[in-house]
Amino acid sequence: MSEFWLFVVGLGVGLVGTLVGAGGGFLLVPLLLFVYPHDSPERITAISLAVVFFNAASGSVAYHRMGRIDYRSGLLFSLATIPGAIGGALVTSFIPRRTFDGIFGVVLVCIAAALFLRPEKADRKPTAPTAGHTHREIVDRDGTVHRYSYDLKLGMAISVGVGFLSSLLGIGGGIIHVPALVHILGFPVHLATATSHFILAITALTGTLTHLSQGSLAGTFGRILPLAIGVLIGAQAGAPLSNRIHGRNIVRVLAVALAFVGVRLLAGR
């Protein structure tokens, strides 16, 4: 695959990943699995996590300008993802390639089902303060006031699991974290997407550094650089588009594509 093609792939991954707050790893990993059939799972996930870090960092800068990142909650959840991210990156090296393909195929089909079947997301109306919950009030750059509360212990527990799965599979974790923030913890949708990107940057960096210490990134710079440049540009475009695109049908088309790839992986390509 040429460097230019990798750059184009990075653009798409950055755009779509930032648009849905997922980092794009769930798109990049299956592509890398098909293009590099002889690479080990740890090499594939290491490349993906490095690219996801650049995507998430770029998207976080864009969302910071919009004033939509809940930094206090994001830092707490990020701390919870770090042990899981380290553990997931280490466990990947023990999984045979064919087994990894099968696991990822199942995960893709599950993600596709969740994306296709979940109701259209809408911000919840503020609820009465709940005893024992963490209460937050964020005012974004447009002057919109977001008030919400959530169970901190539950959020931390979810984040540990997200950190492990994200590094294990190289998908970043946002595809799991955003729905959890919205539907379980009650975050407003736009804040969940932005805060997830901030958490994702720290989680992906942790997983990348772990892989780097294990030598999994050796010889991959030629792939990572064009992908990273592409996602940096794509992420900047994805953040403002999140305000303008009514993405229900786009998400469902994406779900069908993911399901197709998942089935192909399960069938041994």
Side-chain angles (χ1 to χ4, degrees):
M1 181 179 282
S2 69
E3 291 185 359
F4 178 73
W5 181 246
L6 287 170
F7 168 75
V8 173
V9 168
L11 278 176
V13 168
L15 178 66
V16 176
T18 302
L19 195 61
V20 300
F26 71 104
L27 298 173
L28 183 57
V29 170
L31 176 63
L32 294 176
L33 289 173
F34 279 110
V35 176
Y36 304 111
H38 302 297
D39 278 6
S40 64
E42 62 265 32
R43 190 175 180 87
I44 294 293
T45 56
I47 293 172
S48 178
L49 283 174
V51 174
V52 165
F53 164 69
F54 286 106
N55 184 14
S58 178
S60 294
V61 171
Y63 281 125
H64 170 75
R65 295 195 192 106
M66 300 165 72
R68 289 184 173 172
I69 298 176
D70 180 347
Y71 283 106
R72 179 180 173 185
S73 301
L75 284 170
L76 290 172
F77 293 157
S78 296
L79 289 174
T81 66
I82 289 174
I86 294 173
L90 294 175
V91 169
T92 304
S93 62
F94 296 102
I95 303 176
R97 173 59 191 265
R98 188 168 182 81
T99 302
F100 183 87
D101 286 1
I103 293 172
F104 203 87
V106 172
V107 170
L108 280 184
V109 171
C110 292
I111 290 174
L115 288 174
F116 193 84
L117 297 175
R118 72 180 181 182
E120 186 176 356
K121 296 187 295 185
D123 283 337
R124 299 179 179 182
K125 295 181 180 179
T127 57
T130 303
H133 276 205
T134 297
H135 304 278
R136 302 293 293 135
E137 180 177 310
I138 304 293
V139 182
D140 65 24
R141 293 291 184 269
D142 293 333
T144 303
V145 180
H146 303 275
R147 295 186 181 90
Y148 53 101
S149 65
Y150 61 87
D151 185 331
L152 178 59
K153 291 181 180 179
L154 178 59
M156 298 285 278
I158 291 172
S159 297
V160 172
V162 168
F164 178 79
L165 287 175
S166 66
S167 278
L168 179 70
L169 301 174
I171 60 175
I175 198 69
I176 304 169
H177 226 168
V178 172
L181 289 174
V182 174
H183 298 297
I184 299 176
L185 298 180
F187 273 60
V189 173
H190 289 306
L191 264 65
T193 303
T195 304
S196 171
H197 245 65
F198 172 69
I199 298 168
L200 187 55
I202 296 174
T203 307
L205 178 60
T206 301
T208 300
L209 292 175
T210 304
H211 279 298
L212 184 64
S213 70
Q214 298 295 306
S216 303
L217 286 169
T220 62
F221 182 75
R223 301 181 197 175
I224 293 174
L225 181 59
L227 284 167
I229 294 173
V231 299
L232 286 171
I233 297 171
Q236 291 299 310
L241 278 177
S242 66
N243 277 337
R244 304 173 189 174
I245 294 182
H246 184 68
R248 182 178 183 181
N249 292 330
I250 294 175
V251 168
R252 287 190 168 179
V253 171
L254 176 62
V256 172
L258 290 176
F260 174 77
V261 174
V263 171
R264 286 289 301 275
L265 285 173
L266 288 171
R269 297 189 300 275

